[in-house]
Amino acid sequence: MRAADLRRLYAFPARACTRAVMISTLDGSVTGADDRSGSIGTPADRTIYLLQRELADAVLVGAGTARAESYHPPQTRADGSRLTLVVVSERGSLPPSLATASTHPGSVLFITPRSAAPRRLATARRCLGAEHVWTIGEDHVDLAELRARLTGHGLRHLVCEGGPTLLGAMYAADLIDELALTTAPLTVGGDAGRIITGPAADRPHRLAMLLEGSNTLLSLWRVQR
C-alpha cells in the first residue's frame, strides 16, 4: 500500500484524540523472551509505528517502558517539527537514556506527582529544565489533568505507547479514544503480561480498519461511548 494511503487511513480526527499504540503476539504477550516489545515487532509493524509517531503531536509513555526500551529524545522531523515525548513516572525517576534531553530542549516532558522524592525531582529538572518537569496530582499522576494540560499546549493528538500499567490507568480514566493494535505472527509462551493491566477497564470498541502485511495484522479500533 502506498505511503499516502496509509497516512490517510491512520490520520487523526480533527478533534483532540489519544490513540493507544500496542503490539501483541498471537498468544497475548506484549514482549518477547527478552522482556522487550521490540523483539516481537515486524517490518509492517515498524512502518505503522513510525507513521503514527509522524502523525502525532506527542508520545505518552510510562517511565518503566521508556527505561526498558531505551527511549531517547525525539529528533527533529523532516518538516522541521519535533515530536514531544511525555514520560509519566509515579516515583519521579528519570530513565537514564533521557538524561541527555537538555541537548534537545523541550523534546521531553517529565510528569510526576507532587509526592515524588525531592532528590529525583531535582535530577529531572537539572537534566530537562525545570519548565519541562510537571508535577500533577498528589500521590499519583492525575492523567485527566495531564491530558487537559497537553491539549492546552497544542499537543492534541497523542499516541500512548504503554506500558500496560499506564495504558490500564488511561483506560480506567476513560482517556483512550482509539487503539491501534498489531498482532505479531508468533507465540512466545511464558508468563508475559497483556497490553493492559491494572483496574477493570470494560470498554467496547468498534473495528475501524484491518490490514495485513507480511502475516502481521494491523487493526485500528475506536472506543465506543
Side-chain angles (χ1 to χ4, degrees):
M1 185 175 290
R2 297 182 306 171
D5 292 329
L6 288 175
R7 289 182 65 89
R8 175 178 55 80
L9 290 171
Y10 279 93
F12 281 87
R15 59 178 173 79
C17 176
T18 301
R19 178 185 295 168
V21 177
M22 300 295 285
I23 184 171
S24 171
T25 63
L26 292 171
D27 57 338
S29 175
V30 293
T31 61
D34 60 355
D35 294 325
R36 297 177 64 249
S37 63
S39 63
I40 62 174
T42 68
D45 173 65
R46 182 68 176 172
T47 296
I48 298 304
Y49 170 79
L50 293 176
L51 171 62
Q52 293 184 98
R53 278 185 157 222
E54 183 181 340
L55 295 171
D57 297 318
V59 167
L60 184 64
V61 66
T65 294
R67 187 174 295 106
E69 305 286 343
S70 298
Y71 275 55
H72 287 84
Q75 301 296 312
T76 302
R77 295 188 277 207
D79 63 359
S81 65
R82 176 178 286 155
L83 182 71
T84 301
L85 181 62
V86 183
V87 181
V88 177
S89 173
E90 293 289 350
R91 298 185 301 169
S93 181
L94 181 69
S97 59
L98 298 174
T100 60
S102 59
T103 59
H104 307 280
S107 62
V108 176
L109 289 175
F110 188 63
I111 317 300
T112 192
R114 284 181 279 276
S115 61
R119 175 178 55 83
R120 289 175 172 170
L121 279 174
T123 298
R125 287 167 175 152
R126 183 175 66 253
C127 293
L128 305 179
E131 68 274 25
H132 303 131
V133 177
W134 297 357
T135 53
I136 299 178
E138 290 300 329
D139 297 320
H140 301 283
V141 173
D142 185 327
L143 295 171
E145 181 182 343
L146 170 59
R147 189 166 80 162
R149 285 187 61 177
L150 292 173
T151 300
H153 279 71
L155 304 176
R156 304 174 68 250
H157 296 149
L158 311 177
V159 293
C160 179
E161 297 179 356
T165 300
L166 175 60
L167 186 53
M170 292 287 289
Y171 262 104
D174 198 19
L175 296 173
I176 296 296
D177 303 299
E178 298 180 349
L179 169 63
L181 178 64
T182 294
T183 304
L186 74 161
T187 58
V188 297
D191 57 359
R194 301 179 298 170
I195 65 169
I196 299 173
T197 60
D202 187 2
R203 298 285 186 272
H205 292 62
R206 177 177 61 83
L207 181 62
M209 181 177 63
L210 181 62
L211 303 175
E212 183 274 333
S214 303
N215 295 315
T216 302
L217 293 181
L218 305 160
S219 57
L220 181 62
W221 302 80
R222 295 201 170 99
V223 175
Q224 292 186 287
R225 295 186 171 93

